[in-house]
Amino acid sequence: GAPASLSRFRGALVAAVVGDCVGGEFEGAEEVPMESVLKHLNSLDDETKGDGILEYSDDTAMARCVVQSLLTRGGFDEQDMARRFAKEYSESPGRGYGSGVIQVLKKLSSPQLSDVYQPARNQYNGRGSFGNGGAMRAAPFALAFPDQADVKRFACSGAMLTHSCSLGYNGAVLQALAVHLSLQGALELPQQFISKLITEMEEVEGDEATRNDARILKEAEKPFCERLHRVRDLMDRSKVSIEEVISELGNGIAALHSVPTAIFCVLHCLQPRECLPENYSGLERTIAYSLALGGDTDTIACMAGAIAGAHYGITAIPQSWIKCCEGTEDADVNAERLHMLYHQSLQSS
Ligand code: R7I
Ligand code: MG
Ligand code: MG
């Protein structure tokens, strides 16, 4: 499809929900044989299964808040977004939220709160969370703002409402950038795609806060850049085992151990792979491969789904998958609204 076409918006938002819903099955599993993944995905073709049988988790619940806030306010409004996160949590606390972020969400519902970024800053002895909760809901920022500087700025602020550690919010910036570039068709040239991400993250991670957090957490000076270089090394190789991907990039709940991994899943699955069915589309390969890594499967599949969906478009997602997942219809409708908002800003700029 053309850059920033409606199909790409729909693909991004719907595949993110699908990744979250189908990934829930394996979340936290240490080893996931590809056979089990394919069995799970095949079972979605069963006509007797009810609509929306696979429930979405916090990943989608929070992404929906982001989308609703951006659409209602016509841009980023931290007060409104914070209020929506708090309300969503209080109405459905059982969506599988991270154990730390729950404290933030409870504080955000207090009417006395004057600074909506304060609760996040109090996490983990004042350093803030490095979990992937900011990144898992970052895709909508790329669908709302055509300007790359806006995507970076607002994905960062949106993540900081719950994740004030640079290793948390920079993961959100990276995820939003990946969706932004994919939406423009940048995955047609995978080498340039990864190079652009590295160049952008060099700048993003060039600040004092990143340097401090990286030092305290004993990470490389620019942690995400270092991981993206590993992604580039792995994608240049003809054969890579799942074990190597996990040990090089991780499959965990930290943004650093999941956002670069999700990006790798998309890049690795651009072409057919021996371990995956021949009849699978690139998007189906991406989701299946993400699940086979185990660990934080719902979140890695959700983030990889958003990037891949923006590349392949809505038609690459099997109807049976869409039907089985809760929230896909809303995602589809919202994708169209975001597409309008995006193109309105393009015309007025
Ligand atoms: O990041 P967050 O919203 O969790 C998202 C994950 C996704 O996989 C979802 O699908 C859901 O399952 O949860 O929630 P946080 O509580 O901020 O962070 C997640 C976890 O990361 C925490 O429960 C901690 O175990 C860990 N963590 C930290 N541990 C030590 N020190 C995050 N930051 C720190 C830290 O600074
Ligand atoms: Mg989840
Ligand atoms: Mg998860």
Side-chain angles (χ1 to χ4, degrees):
S5 64
L6 176 58
S7 174
R8 289 178 185 267
F9 280 69
R10 296 172 64 200
L13 220 52
V14 174
V17 177
V18 168
D20 178 19
C21 292
V22 303
E25 173 83 6
F26 304 106
E27 192 181 18
E30 236 174 75
E31 258 178 57
V32 183
M34 187 59 88
E35 210 189 325
S36 313
V37 170
L38 299 179
K39 208 173 139 202
H40 177 50
L41 292 174
N42 281 337
S43 79
L44 306 180
D45 290 330
D46 186 345
E47 294 281 328
T48 60
K49 289 224 166 154
D51 289 355
I53 184 120
L54 298 177
E55 289 180 1
Y56 64 73
S57 78
D58 57 329
D59 303 49
T60 300
M62 295 196 89
R64 287 163 63 101
C65 296
V66 172
V67 168
Q68 288 304 344
S69 182
L70 293 173
L71 287 172
T72 311
R73 306 299 302 154
F76 180 64
D77 174 341
E78 64 268 24
Q79 307 281 340
D80 181 78
M81 200 171 282
R83 220 174 295 122
R84 286 173 194 273
F85 288 156
K87 184 159 179 284
E88 169 60 34
Y89 173 71
S90 72
E91 286 171 1
S92 303
R95 292 272 186 192
Y97 287 86
S99 56
V101 77
I102 290 172
Q103 307 309 318
V104 179
L105 296 171
K106 285 180 181 161
K107 288 180 192 162
L108 284 179
S109 66
S110 160
Q112 281 95 355
L113 187 71
S114 56
D115 179 1
V116 288
Y117 293 105
Q118 193 53 45
R121 281 191 213 111
N122 292 343
Q123 295 294 94
Y124 300 99
N125 299 316
R127 199 198 58 249
S129 169
F130 53 60
N132 55 19
M136 73 187 183
R137 58 173 195 258
F141 291 99
L143 307 182
F145 303 103
D147 180 32
Q148 185 170 279
D150 287 342
V151 173
K152 288 159 75 173
R153 184 156 56 108
F154 296 130
C156 183
S157 302
M160 285 173 93
L161 290 168
T162 50
H163 292 68
S164 79
C165 176
S166 65
L167 277 91
Y169 61 74
N170 282 343
V173 174
L174 174 56
Q175 168 64 8
L177 275 172
V179 176
H180 170 78
L181 292 178
S182 176
L183 206 60
Q184 315 301 319
L187 278 168
E188 296 296 338
L189 300 167
Q191 291 294 342
Q192 284 190 22
F193 177 85
I194 194 76
S195 296
K196 273 188 200 160
L197 283 180
I198 292 173
T199 307
E200 287 303 320
M201 292 309 290
E202 284 282 347
E203 194 210 308
V204 170
E205 296 196 294
D207 66 347
E208 186 71 32
T210 301
R211 241 190 324 275
N212 275 334
D213 289 335
R215 187 174 38 79
I216 294 165
L217 292 162
K218 299 192 168 57
E219 293 291 344
E221 195 178 310
K222 294 182 175 179
F224 284 98
C225 288
E226 192 238 8
R227 296 274 160 162
L228 289 171
H229 282 286
R230 292 189 198 184
V231 170
R232 172 145 61 187
D233 293 342
L234 287 175
M235 71 188 267
D236 285 342
R237 292 188 15 212
S238 55
K239 269 213 159 78
V240 193
S241 72
I242 297 256
E243 291 74 23
E244 282 175 286
V245 177
I246 298 171
S247 77
E248 285 292 305
L249 303 176
N251 62 1
I253 210 162
L256 189 63
H257 303 151
S258 50
V259 183
T261 311
I263 291 169
F264 175 76
C265 289
V266 180
L267 291 165
H268 185 70
C269 294
L270 285 170
Q271 44 187 293
R273 294 288 170 185
E274 238 172 57
C275 63
L276 291 159
E278 276 176 38
N279 64 328
Y280 264 21
S281 71
L283 187 126
E284 290 170 280
R285 288 196 294 271
T286 306
I287 299 279
Y289 191 80
S290 306
L291 304 196
L293 294 181
D296 195 359
T297 47
D298 65 336
T299 305
I300 295 174
C302 171
M303 297 190 294
I307 303 165
H311 176 61
Y312 299 106
I314 186 73
T315 53
I317 315 172
Q319 271 305 320
S320 60
W321 293 16
I322 295 178
K323 207 167 88 43
C324 283
C325 298
E326 179 195 13
T328 43
E329 280 178 26
D330 284 352
D332 206 356
V333 171
N334 285 331
E336 202 166 324
R337 295 183 177 139
L338 285 168
H339 181 256
M340 277 168 59
L341 179 65
Y342 181 104
H343 285 280
Q344 273 164 18
S345 327
L346 262 188
Q347 275 150 20
S348 62
S349 68

